[in-house]
Amino acid sequence: MKPDPWRLDRAAYPFSFQIQTRYRDEDSLRHINNMAIAGFYDEARGRFMKQIFEDLGPAPWVRIVTADTRVSFLGEVFHPDMLDIGSGITRIGNASMEISQAMFQKGKCVGICTTTFVQADEKGSSPLSDGLRAILQTYLIKQS
């Protein structure tokens, strides 16, 4: 399935994180293996979420859990070249949010990832606060 064209555009993503590929992640075909790529997305998402909560400032403790992650591989990733992972919000629900990401190497989009997070407490899902919603809005991706 071909992704929407905006998913391949680096400029669509309001947050960027650069990460170095690692020799230990090369497979026998001399490209970075799929599990390592999933880890790079996870690291970039973690940095993105850290920025969101820094922007939010002091707030009650919030528990955000992963509900779904989908990775699409669009090209091979090689070591020792750097990766640029763009991230942004594509959906804000009552108790959930969706983060869309794209991985670029040497200016080319080599993959995309979509992750759904749910805010939860001891009883199950819980509504996102107005403050968190406001911050998430600032990172919305304009899908054109």
Side-chain angles (χ1 to χ4, degrees):
M1 183 163 97
K2 283 186 109 172
D4 290 332
W6 69 264
R7 293 293 311 258
L8 310 177
D9 182 4
R10 176 60 198 90
Y13 299 89
F15 182 85
S16 178
F17 178 69
Q18 292 196 355
I19 191 164
Q20 178 63 57
T21 59
R22 304 171 299 194
Y23 170 76
R24 69 181 178 186
D25 293 326
E26 277 188 338
D27 62 18
S28 60
L29 298 174
R30 303 203 55 175
H31 65 264
I32 303 298
N33 73 61
N34 294 351
M35 293 306 293
I37 288 172
F40 292 140
Y41 282 120
D42 191 45
E43 180 69 23
R45 269 193 314 276
R47 300 296 177 106
F48 181 44
M49 292 299 292
K50 182 178 185 292
Q51 183 63 56
I52 287 169
F53 283 100
E54 283 178 6
D55 292 351
L56 182 60
W61 184 80
V62 175
R63 181 173 176 238
I64 305 287
V65 296
T66 304
D68 181 61
T69 299
R70 290 162 300 198
V71 176
S72 296
F73 303 95
L74 305 176
E76 294 177 305
V77 177
F78 296 98
H79 176 74
D81 300 318
M82 294 287 293
L83 298 172
D84 179 21
I85 301 175
S87 302
I89 303 295
T90 44
R91 187 185 58 77
I92 304 169
N94 182 48
S96 65
M97 69 182 104
E98 183 177 85
I99 295 176
S100 289
Q101 297 174 284
M103 180 179 289
F104 299 87
Q105 191 172 54
K106 293 185 174 181
K108 178 185 174 191
C109 184
V110 292
I112 57 175
C113 180
T114 304
T115 303
T116 302
F117 286 102
V118 176
Q119 182 171 297
D121 60 22
E122 63 280 349
K123 297 174 190 161
S125 65
S126 62
L128 301 173
S129 71
D130 291 340
L132 180 54
R133 284 177 179 286
I135 297 300
L136 294 174
Q137 289 281 341
T138 67
Y139 289 103
L140 273 175
I141 294 174
K142 294 176 180 70
Q143 302 172 34
S144 53

